[in-house]
Amino acid sequence: QAEDGIRDYKVTGVQTCALPICSRLDRSNALIAQRLAELYASSDRAQDALGVLDLCIREGCQEAPIFHQAAMNAIGLARYQVAISYLTKYEELEPGEPWIYYYLALCHLELGQPKEALAALNVEAERSPESAFSVGILRVAAAALADDLAAMRSYLRTRSEEHTSELQSPCNLVCR
């Protein structure tokens, strides 16, 4: 038993009985939920990992990392609508975190919602200028999904010009 009172089932190999034992513990305890979710995820039981996190949330946990972990697990399981709800709550608890709107856009794209994806990408671009390349790629995908060929070409042209200027900058310093 670890000093925090949670047994390390990964070491003992008793993964199948972890859920019944933890179900008798405080289900809203973020530490228990995270450790158990990691255990399930490491043993190819992604659905169980998400279930533990979801149970913790439904029991009243309001800790942002639980929502983030649940969102990432939901994305991995292609449960995009669920991921959107977790990401939205995470943003409410931890406003301003980078990449959250990127993942929201990704989920909206997977759900066939290009307008919502573009709105999320606009927020992400303002919030995290360093994510410009990744945001640009999703903008191209959103434009393609919306059958907006002009926007798609524009985004591709912008990405190409930015990429070319990034490649030329180091060369200009070295070649002088």
Side-chain angles (χ1 to χ4, degrees), residues 16 80 89 94 101 144:
T16 56
Y80 302 111
K89 182 63 177 182
E94 291 288 329
Y101 277 88

Side-chain angles (χ1 to χ4, degrees), residues 21-160:
I21 289 171
C22 284
S23 70
R24 291 184 296 242
L25 299 175
D26 180 5
R27 292 179 183 180
S28 65
N29 184 304
L31 180 60
I32 292 171
Q34 284 179 309
R35 298 260 319 258
L36 189 53
E38 289 167 5
L39 173 70
Y40 282 137
S42 71
S43 63
D44 294 328
R45 294 175 63 185
Q47 188 62 47
D48 291 331
L50 181 58
V52 166
L53 296 167
D54 187 66
L55 178 62
C56 183
I57 290 167
R58 289 178 190 275
E59 290 290 326
C61 179
Q62 292 293 305
E63 294 187 32
I66 291 290
F67 287 91
H68 188 272
Q69 189 175 358
M72 296 302 109
N73 285 22
I75 291 169
L77 291 167
R79 302 211 28 221
Y80 302 111
Q81 194 62 52
V82 172
I84 288 171
S85 66
Y86 292 139
L87 288 166
T88 302
K89 182 63 177 182
Y90 180 81
E91 174 64 21
E92 181 184 308
L93 295 170
E94 291 288 329
E97 284 293 309
W99 295 101
I100 296 305
Y101 277 88
Y102 173 86
Y103 286 111
L104 280 167
L106 181 68
C107 292
H108 284 298
L109 283 175
E110 291 292 340
L111 292 170
Q113 303 167 340
K115 289 180 184 177
E116 292 83 351
L118 285 170
L121 290 168
N122 290 337
V123 173
E124 186 62 41
E126 287 179 25
R127 178 181 289 181
S128 307
E130 70 278 0
S131 69
F133 182 77
S134 300
V135 166
I137 290 171
L138 290 189
R139 280 186 170 150
V140 170
L145 185 62
D147 290 326
D148 187 347
L149 189 58
M152 190 172 83
R153 285 183 179 151
S154 173
Y155 293 138
L156 284 171
R157 191 175 312 108
T158 301
R159 293 298 337 132
S160 177

